[in-house]
């Protein structure tokens, strides 16, 4: 479908280059911008890792699939360091396409943020890049490709940063990474095909932003599979506990386009962190987790048996699960789609989340108070700035160290949008209580959420919807903190 797009004046090619779909470079000067990083600490210990991005083949519960992954693993290898350490990751690009790696949620030095065409030139096929940065925060994070739809094809992994002064006590921990899986049957794209697909999008239309509906990669109407730790519901991952254990679960939504409702049969969850940051503990039966969000929860193992840990997709029921198995319990696992009663219990909502006093939240009157509107039309998506459609390829100036308030309203769409700010976390306010410190929050249809943040990290940063397909179709902004 072709139509007048309100955001005239931006060629689609130019627009897409900002998110790395093209060969060009926006804001070239920013690549080499020599900012002093506030995080440099030459005395800290250094950890080195290697990520090889390339083709991979998996057996997903009996289905053979070909896709792309890091080090042939799904999810990619866990990267684990301590807060304050220096992390170096060598990325070798064995894909037939450009790539970069984004360290989601880390207030990183800008040139290591991994946004192709904005913070670095893309890592070309057959070449490599060394990410090298200090890690100033602790908690549950993740890394993923920021190119095209590579994240939705398997290029992601957990990034866990241990807190030297950990206050939680627990006996065991496990990571559960949730993922909607598109690379099956007709939705399969080889690396080369997906590159071609996106190149067509980049070069086919040069006359403004009017587009043919299929120019962008599109989200599957229904994902063929959903995975937890790379395994579908018919071959689930098992987490083992002993009666009396306290289990720390680190939940990561690594999906390209799916919000999950998560619950554990027979157990409540004590939410202790969101997006790496501690919250005052709150006990719930179920929680919604948007794309890129993380929750850490404690599970008290007081109810021996074999239990469903279920991930439900709105309108589709339980689509994947993991198993919680007590040592000595030999019961059969429940059916893959079995619905824990806890899915109907007390549901976490943002007003229940309050940062602990360890978190320094922005307070007082903002220096900049902006209304961001989330909109869609004709298959494209955009964000308005105080009611104006902005040129998303031109970074908007934000004075360094200013207190910024974004009031984000999902007024123009019927879908949830997990809006993520790069390089900073924000205090989330809902209008009905709560003050969590987060890097991504779901803005529901007709809802307004308030993001208060201190622009203390210089550079050009993205703000975008973490539905990959919404981002690629334009739901993004660039902010230049200077
Ligand atoms: Cu997970 Cu641009 O982000
Ligand atoms: Cu969205």
């Amino acid at each position: 479908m072709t139509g007048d797009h309100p955001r005239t004046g931006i060629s689609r090619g130019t627009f897409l280059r900002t998110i790395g779909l093209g060969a060009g470079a926006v804001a070239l000067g920013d690549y080499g911008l020599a900012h002093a990083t506030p995080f440099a600490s030459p005395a800290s210990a250094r950890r080195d890792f290697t990520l090889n991005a390339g083709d991979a083949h998996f057996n997903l519960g009996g289905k053979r699939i070909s896709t792309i992954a890091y080090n042939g693993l799904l999810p990619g290898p866990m990267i684990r360091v301590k807060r304050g350490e220096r992390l170096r990751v060598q990325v070798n690009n064995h894909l037939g396409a450009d790539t970069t790696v984004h360290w989601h949620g880390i207030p990183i030095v800008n040139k290591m943020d991994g946004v192709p065409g904005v913070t670095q030139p893309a890592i070309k096929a057959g070449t490599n890049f060394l990410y090298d940065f200090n890690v100033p925060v602790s908690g549950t994070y993740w890394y993923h490709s920021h190119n095209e739809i590579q994240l939705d094809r398997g290029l992601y992994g957990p990034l866990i940063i241990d807190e030297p002064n950990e206050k939680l006590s627990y006996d065991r921990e496990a990571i559960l990474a949730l993922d909607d899986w598109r690379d099956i049957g007709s939705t399969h794209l080889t690396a080369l095909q997906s590159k071609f697909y996106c190149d067509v999008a980049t070069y086919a239309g040069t006359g403004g932003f009017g587009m043919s509906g299929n120019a962008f990669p599109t989200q599957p109407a229904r994902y063929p599979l959903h995975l937890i730790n790379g395994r579908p519901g018919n071959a689930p991952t098992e987490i083992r506990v002993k009666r009396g254990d306290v289990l720390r679960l680190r939940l990561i939504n690594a999906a390209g386009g799916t919000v999950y409702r998560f619950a554990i049969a027979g157990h409540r969850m004590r939410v202790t962190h969101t997006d790496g940051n501690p919250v005052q503990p709150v006990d719930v039966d179920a929680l919604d987790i948007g794309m890129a969000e993380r929750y850490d929860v404690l599970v008290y193992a007081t109810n021996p048996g074999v239990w469903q840990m279920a991930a439900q997709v709105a309108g589709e029921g339980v689509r994947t699960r993991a198993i919680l198995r007590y040592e000595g319990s030999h019961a059969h696992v429940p059916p893959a789609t079995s619905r824990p009663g806890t899915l109907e219990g007390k549901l976490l909502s943002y007003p229940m989340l309050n940062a602990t006093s360890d978190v320094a939240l922005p307070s007082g009157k903002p220096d900049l108070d902006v209304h961001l509107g989330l909109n869609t039309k004709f298959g494209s998506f955009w964000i308005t700035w105080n009611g104006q459609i902005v040129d998303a390829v031109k970074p908007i100036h934000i004075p360094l160290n200013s207190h910024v308030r974004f009031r984000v309203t999902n007024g123009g769409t019927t879908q949830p949008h997990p809006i993520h700010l790069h390089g900073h976390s924000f205090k989330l306010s809902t209008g009905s209580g709560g003050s969590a410190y987060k890097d991504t929050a779901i803005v529901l249809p007709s809802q307004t959420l308030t993001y208060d943040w201190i622009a203390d990290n210089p550079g050009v940063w993205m703000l975008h919807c973490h539905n990959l397909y919404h981002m690629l179709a334009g739901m993004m902004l660039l902010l230049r903190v200077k």
Side-chain angles (χ1 to χ4, degrees), residues 219 291 374-375 381 410 413 415-419 443 464-471 475:
Q219 182 178 355
M291 296 77 91
L374 308 178
N375 297 282
F381 290 82
N410 183 355
T413 88
Q415 287 162 284
H417 301 291
I419 300 294
V443 191
H464 64 88
C465 179
H466 224 289
N467 178 311
L468 207 53
Y469 303 90
H470 296 177
M471 177 185 82
M475 194 171 269

Side-chain angles (χ1 to χ4, degrees), residues 189-226:
L189 300 167
T190 65
L192 267 177
Q193 283 171 326
S194 74
K195 175 155 177 53
F196 173 73
Y197 201 46
C198 293
D199 281 352
V200 170
T202 308
Y203 299 115
T206 47
F209 208 71
M211 65 185 61
S212 59
N214 57 4
F216 293 105
T218 50
Q219 182 178 355
R222 179 183 163 100
Y223 280 86
L225 281 183
H226 292 264

